[in-house]
């Protein structure tokens, strides 16, 4: 593709993203699947332009508003070329000449825009601090409350790209074996500092195209997400539920730690995601996983299986503020419920999932959020209303077989600035023996009288 054709493809892709209420990464994948004639390098170039716009969307919008120009995909890409790439206005305008497969010529407004931003950079001293850090208005106050004087440093760390992390599948290979196989394929990767199963790839190698990926030797999973699964400490023969399984990343890690022995139930209200996850389970060589579509967090299946599981993992739906490096579009175009709707939903999911935990079992609550309202406050409220659960510090929850814990504290709290992972929170709670007269006592009694759990699948 010519440079002009790449720009036009980026205009088309950005237009689809802005018009479609779906995550950008899914739309980018679909866009290129429908245009297989676009080669790998050109795909990388087009996607790079689009993600640069998404990553700088707040500041680009500030410049366009300053220049009294509507934030169309064309205008955003024009401003990005000058303000982010550092190109001169005349070289950019030369690409908008109406040539075959290229963008139409500039209109008067676009020419004025190029003239106004020429020789400038994306940052400007008059930009408000939060906007200069690409923090949307709805998230500024809670993030300032969460980080205090570290607000600027933490938000600045969110402006870059997320690293590419892999998790070795212990059923098929050790981390060292995966590292060696990747090296043979020309992919450099180093062991992660926190996860004992993780590797961090240098650069953006297309690892999903490698035969070793298709053979299931590793999965693509952020190091922080790996730690959440490890804190559950699932063991062979246990009964485990991944209550909000989604695409199945944590389910895979949990089932592999159980050495294919026992039972893992991957449940979610989005049945389509569970269906797609089954291919990942097969590729990893896991056969101790079953999927269960739920109508809601109060699905009758939960009541029928109360008190039957050793481990229940709740990766709750959240604001996703911890994944802004990975999903920059989610800053400015949230596609799910707002915080006011998420908070009661998280509490309801946690309350319902807790019924599944047997005495002595663990309940792991996790989010990819940086907001205390979704994290510590939810756990505090849950423990206040469920006296038979107690918080298990991270060091005690960490599997002994993995050696010393890489993090400490009552809960797991990871941030890009401090740990170079996605922002993650996790709390591990243990169900003690039930207190007579409470709902927990009823759950325990029902579980004791129930038939044994279903056979492993």
């Amino acid at each position: 593709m010519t440079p002009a054709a790449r720009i036009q493809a980026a205009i088309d892709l950005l237009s689809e993203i802005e018009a479609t209420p779906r995550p950008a990464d899914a739309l980018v994948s679909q866009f290129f699947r429908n245009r297989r004639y676009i080669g790998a390098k050109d795909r990388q170039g087009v996607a790079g332009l689009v993600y640069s716009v998404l990553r700088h969307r707040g500041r680009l919008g500030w410049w366009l508003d300053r220049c009294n120009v509507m934030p169309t995909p064309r205008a955003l890409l024009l401003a990005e070329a000058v303000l982010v790439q550092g190109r001169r206005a005349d070289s950019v305008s030369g690409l908008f000449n109406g040539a075959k497969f290229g963008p139409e010529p500039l209109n008067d407004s676009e020419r004025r825009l190029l003239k106004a931003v020429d020789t400038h950079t994306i940052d400007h001293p008059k930009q408000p601090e939060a906007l200069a850090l690409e923090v949307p208005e709805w998230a500024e106050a809670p993030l300032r409350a969460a980080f205090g004087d570290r607000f600027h440093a933490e938000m600045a760390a969110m402006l870059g790209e997320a690293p590419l992390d892999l998790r070795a599948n212990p059923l098929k290979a050790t981390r060292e074996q995966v590292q060696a196989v990747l090296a043979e394929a020309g992919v450099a990767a180093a062991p992660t500092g926190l996860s004992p199963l993780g590797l961090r790839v240098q650069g953006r190698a297309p690892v999903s195209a490698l035969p070793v990926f298709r053979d299931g030797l590793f999965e693509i999973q952020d190091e922080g997400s790996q730690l959440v699964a490890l804190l559950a400490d699932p063991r062979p023969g246990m009964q485990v539920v991944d209550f909000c399984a989604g695409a199945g990343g944590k389910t895979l890690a949990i089932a592999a730690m159980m050495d294919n022995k026992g039972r893992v139930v991957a449940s979610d209200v989005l049945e389509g995601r569970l269906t797609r996850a089954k291919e990942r389970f097969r590729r990893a060589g896991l056969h101790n996983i079953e999927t269960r579509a739920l109508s809601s967090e109060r699905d009758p299946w939960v009541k029928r299986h109360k008190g039957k599981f050793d481990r229940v993992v709740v990766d709750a739906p959240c604001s996703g503020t911890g994944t802004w490096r990975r999903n920059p579009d989610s800053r400015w175009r949230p596609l799910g419920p707002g915080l006011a709707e998420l908070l009661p939903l998280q509490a309801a999911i946690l309350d319902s999932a807790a019924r599944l935990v047997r005495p002595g079992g663990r309940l792991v609550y996790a989010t990819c959020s940086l907001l205390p309202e979704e994290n510590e406050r939810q756990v505090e409220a849950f423990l206040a209303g469920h006296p038979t659960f107690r918080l298990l510090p991270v060091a005690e929850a960490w599997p002994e077989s993995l050696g010393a814990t890489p993090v400490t504290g009552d809960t797991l709290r990871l941030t890009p600035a401090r740990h170079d992972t996605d922002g993650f929170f996790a709390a591990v709670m243990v169900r003690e023996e039930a207190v007579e007269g409470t709902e927990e006592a009823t759950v325990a009694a029902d579980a004791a009288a129930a038939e044994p759990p279903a056979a492993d699948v």
Side-chain angles (χ1 to χ4, degrees), residues 163-425:
L164 176 59
D165 292 342
L166 313 177
R167 177 186 55 79
N169 178 2
L171 292 179
K172 296 192 174 187
T174 66
R175 173 164 69 172
E176 291 71 25
Q177 289 171 332
V178 173
Q179 184 182 19
V181 171
L182 290 173
E184 291 177 4
V187 177
T192 49
L194 301 176
S195 170
L197 299 176
L199 289 166
R200 178 154 294 177
V201 176
Q202 297 178 18
R204 311 303 298 181
V207 294
S208 59
L210 297 175
V212 288
F213 175 76
R214 296 193 293 270
D215 292 340
L217 270 66
F218 65 84
E219 285 291 330
I220 299 172
Q221 185 179 23
D222 182 79
E223 184 181 15
S225 179
Q226 295 178 37
L227 293 187
V228 173
L230 293 173
L231 282 174
D233 191 18
R235 303 175 187 177
M238 281 187 170
Q239 305 285 320
V240 180
V241 176
D242 187 356
F243 199 69
C244 304
K250 294 180 183 65
T251 309
L252 285 160
I254 289 168
M257 290 178 68
M258 295 167 62
D259 197 26
N260 255 336
K261 299 172 183 176
R263 176 194 186 202
V264 182
V265 179
S267 65
D268 204 283
V269 295
L270 299 176
E271 187 173 4
R273 299 187 74 182
L274 293 175
T275 300
R276 293 190 293 273
K278 290 180 180 179
E279 174 55 33
R280 299 180 72 185
F281 303 156
R282 285 192 292 269
R283 185 177 65 240
L286 294 164
H287 51 74
N288 61 333
I289 304 173
E290 64 179 80
T291 58
R292 168 67 58 175
L294 303 177
S295 58
S296 72
E297 74 277 2
R298 307 297 297 188
D299 191 281
W301 180 87
V302 179
K303 184 177 181 179
R304 293 196 301 270
H305 292 79
K306 57 187 180 181
K308 290 186 177 181
F309 290 90
D310 303 286
R311 302 286 189 265
V312 177
V313 177
V314 178
D315 187 358
C318 67
S319 63
T321 48
T323 64
W324 280 350
R325 292 192 305 177
R326 195 172 304 281
N327 305 304
D329 60 307
S330 64
R331 297 172 184 259
W332 304 106
R333 52 189 296 267
L335 302 176
L339 201 57
E341 300 169 86
L342 282 170
L343 296 178
L345 176 61
Q346 292 161 356
I349 290 174
L350 189 55
D351 176 73
S352 183
R355 296 180 293 164
L356 296 166
V357 184
R358 68 178 64 197
R362 292 185 185 183
L363 174 64
V364 181
Y365 174 76
T367 74
C368 53
S369 170
L370 298 172
L371 306 181
E373 295 91 330
E374 300 183 274
N375 298 335
E376 290 89 349
R377 302 295 88 80
Q378 288 286 16
V379 172
E380 291 166 2
F382 172 82
L383 291 173
H386 298 78
T388 61
F389 281 87
R390 68 175 176 86
L391 191 64
L392 186 67
V394 168
E396 295 180 37
W398 188 254
E400 291 182 5
S401 61
L402 299 179
T405 175
V407 289
T408 58
D410 287 340
T411 59
L412 177 73
R413 193 161 185 252
L414 304 173
T415 73
R418 292 179 175 175
H419 306 97
D420 200 16
T421 68
D422 284 353
F424 269 103
F425 172 86

Side-chain angles (χ1 to χ4, degrees), residues 62-63 66 120-129 132:
W62 182 88
W63 275 104
R66 179 183 176 90
H120 288 283
T121 62
I122 188 69
D123 296 306
H124 191 282
K126 291 187 178 181
Q127 291 172 353
E129 181 188 32

